[in-house]
Each structure stands twice: as C-alpha cells, then as structure tokens.
Amino acid sequence: MEEKIIHESREGRVAIWTISRPKALNALNSAFFKEFNELLDGLESHQEVAALVITGEGKAFVAGADIAEMQGMGREEALAFSRGGQKSFARLAALPIPVIAAVNGYALGGGCELALACDIRMASNQAIFGMPEARLGLIPGYGGTQRLPRLVGAGNALYMLLSGKNIEAGEALRMGLVQAVYENEEILEQSLKLATGISKLGPNALSTIKELVYKGSEMGLAEAVTLENKRFPELFESDGPEGIQGFLEKRKPQWKS
Ligand code: DAK
C-alpha cells in the first residue's frame, strides 16, 4: 500500500495536515492532490473542525509542483494539471473555517501558491519563499500570478515572479506575504496557538469575515460595503446574540454551531 502523503492529526478542534514526501521535498504530485481533495471532502461534510493548520515535514513546506510529473506533458495535460491544482486551492480558500499555513521551510512555486491559498501565513525563520517557474520556462499554474499581487502588490509580486529569486522570511514579512516569523522550533506551536485561539471565536462570524474579505476584494468599495451591510444583521440570527450575552455575563460564549 502506498504511504499517505498528508498526515492528519487533531488538537482539540484544530486539524493539522502535515505534508510528508521528504524524498522530493514535499513536491505536489497527483497522489497529493487526490488525498488533498479527499481531506477537503471530509472537512466540508463535518463541522467538528474549527480551524486548519497546514505544514510540511522536514526542511520544506513544499518545494513546488512535482517537476518530474510535468516532464513530457503536452498542452492538454498541462491544462488539466493547472485546472486541477487551481480547483483544489480554490476549495481550500473557500472553506468556511480559517486556514493557517505554518511555513517551516522551502515554499517554492506550487508550495508558495498553497501558502497563498491559506488565510494566514506564519513563517519559520528558516522559511524560503519563491516563484521560480520562469526559470523552468513556465508560469505559476495554481493561482500564483493572481493571489500573489493581490496580497503583496504588483511591484513585490513582479519582483518575485520575474526574477525567480527566493526570499527569506524577514523579506516575506516586510512584503506582507507572511504575517509573523518565529524560530523554527516554535513555528508549529505558535501556529497551533493562533489556530486554537481562532477556533474559539464565533464560527459564523469567521466564515462571514472570510467571505467578505475575499469577495469584497473582487468588488468596488461601494458594492463591497453593501455586502458587508447585508451580512452584518445576519449575525444577529446566528453567533451575535450568544457572543454579546457571553460578554455581558462575563463568560465564554457557547456557540451553537
Ligand atoms: N519537484 C520534484 N522533485 C523535487 C522538487 C520539485 N519541485 N524539489 C526538489 N525535488 C527533489 C530533488 O529532485 C531531489 O531529489 P533526488 O535528486 O534526491 O532524487 C530531492 O527533492 C532533494 O532536493 P535537492 O537535492 O535539490 O535539495 P537541496 O537542498 O540541494 O535544494 C531546493 C533544495 C528546494 C533549492 C531544490 O530542490 C530546488 O531548487 N527544487 C526545485 C524548486 C522549484 O523549482 N520549485 C518550483 C517547481 S515548478 C502549471 C501548474 C503548476 C506549476 C506550473 C505550471 N501549469 C500546468 C501551467 C507550478 C510549478 C512549480 O511549482
């Protein structure tokens, strides 16, 4: 039997997915995407997981799409390869729960794109980010040319995409590509701490915030704040009353879902 590439564990209501294919620095192959989509199926159909942390085993988060698998691909296969990855990462970004990338090492190409599809990126001081596709005569195929400039601005994105240069965690922090940097030994612990804190907040509030940030960034400001205005009162029929009551009674809210 083939060994699993993604090892799933739980800490309270936080799921941890550890990508483990150390022989290829956790490069993303078709077996990875199969498992990834099965795990997404599980998350979408069960509500007990309140936050997800994705990390890598060894010295890489993910060193990219599997270059060996791309060898000999024709146009049709490349289209399917790119679409499959894009769809998978879009599913991840659309999860109603917060997803944190705990970037422990190399996050190159498809690995950087995976981190970009997460909601929050935490980096180890040994993390290395890069979009080296142009070195291979390619472009990022999993949403990277679009998510990267939306996150760090066109100038920083073009610097990374056109030069193919790697950047270290400190530079990634300066650009806004990552939200925090920790010592390597602490990266998972700190990411879990953040995820655990988040997992205690109003679940409907969290999913609404994600929806508004992602959908709103595709809209004009007036339309986006109208959407915010539509969602705000909806919270008064879900998490809002319990959150407010809990505050006033000086107790932790007991969310219904
Ligand atoms: N794919 C397959 N194998 C990889 C790999 C990758 N991305 N990265 C590393 N490996 C393998 C190496 O081949 C090596 O295998 P063996 O030779 O031991 O069999 C093993 O992992 C250990 O790697 P190294 O010996 O190279 O380790 P080092 O510490 O010396 O170097 C490194 C680490 C990360 C600097 C180096 O491995 C490296 O440069 N790796 C490639 C990084 C890279 O170029 N990543 C981007 C991949 S391209 C698209 C869809 C998607 C994409 C593009 C288009 N469409 C369909 C349009 C996405 C593209 C990418 O992500």
Side-chain angles (χ1 to χ4, degrees):
M1 208 175 82
E2 287 283 305
E3 268 197 31
K4 278 211 174 300
I5 294 172
I6 310 174
H7 299 179
E8 192 191 22
S9 56
R10 292 278 171 89
E11 193 158 306
R13 297 189 66 213
V14 177
I16 305 150
W17 293 358
T18 305
I19 305 168
S20 176
R21 205 182 154 229
K23 277 193 288 190
L25 299 185
N26 304 334
L28 308 178
N29 61 2
S30 24
F32 163 85
F33 279 111
K34 186 170 179 291
E35 285 182 29
F36 188 72
N37 278 292
E38 285 166 5
L39 285 168
L40 286 170
D41 291 341
L43 278 189
E44 284 166 355
S45 54
H46 297 106
Q47 293 190 340
E48 71 268 21
V49 174
L52 169 65
V53 173
I54 302 182
T55 194
E57 182 153 346
K59 69 175 181 183
F61 175 68
V62 167
D66 191 311
I67 298 171
E69 255 194 10
M70 286 192 271
Q71 191 183 24
M73 264 186 196
R75 200 186 169 98
E76 289 304 314
E77 288 144 308
L79 180 68
F81 186 75
S82 173
R83 270 207 189 126
Q86 281 186 353
K87 273 193 192 157
S88 306
F89 288 180
R91 282 185 75 188
L92 181 73
L95 284 175
I97 57 168
V99 182
I100 298 172
V103 183
N104 53 300
Y106 289 111
L108 304 179
C112 191
E113 292 177 287
L114 172 60
L116 287 168
C118 297
D119 302 313
I120 299 173
R121 283 149 295 281
M122 311 275 273
S124 133
N125 56 1
Q126 290 173 21
I128 304 270
F129 296 84
M131 288 290 202
E133 284 86 346
R135 290 174 186 266
L136 301 168
L138 299 173
I139 60 168
Y142 299 150
T145 61
Q146 302 312 306
R147 286 199 179 91
L148 186 62
R150 280 167 169 77
L151 189 67
V152 300
N156 287 319
L158 285 165
Y159 171 75
M160 288 180 71
L161 290 160
L162 295 178
S163 72
K165 281 186 188 217
N166 290 344
I167 61 167
E168 294 184 349
E171 182 68 357
L173 183 66
R174 186 195 64 74
M175 278 186 190
L177 176 51
V178 302
Q179 283 60 63
V181 178
Y182 293 99
E183 295 288 323
N184 194 47
E185 311 75 62
E186 286 181 39
I187 181 64
L188 189 57
E189 184 192 329
Q190 291 292 343
S191 301
L192 282 173
K193 196 170 156 193
L194 179 68
T196 303
I198 290 175
S199 73
K200 295 181 178 149
L201 309 184
N204 292 290
L206 295 174
S207 62
T208 306
I209 288 168
K210 278 190 62 165
E211 184 206 355
L212 287 170
V213 169
Y214 290 130
K215 274 199 188 148
S217 66
E218 307 299 319
M219 296 173 173
L221 182 63
E223 197 191 349
V225 292
T226 302
L227 182 62
E228 183 187 75
N229 190 237
K230 185 166 173 239
R231 290 287 176 266
F232 186 73
E234 292 172 7
L235 271 304
F236 285 77
E237 288 169 346
S238 59
D239 297 345
E242 173 58 15
I244 293 167
Q245 197 75 11
F247 175 81
L248 295 174
E249 292 172 7
K250 301 189 190 305
R251 62 168 174 80
K252 289 190 180 136
Q254 301 294 315
W255 311 114
K256 286 199 197 80
S257 52

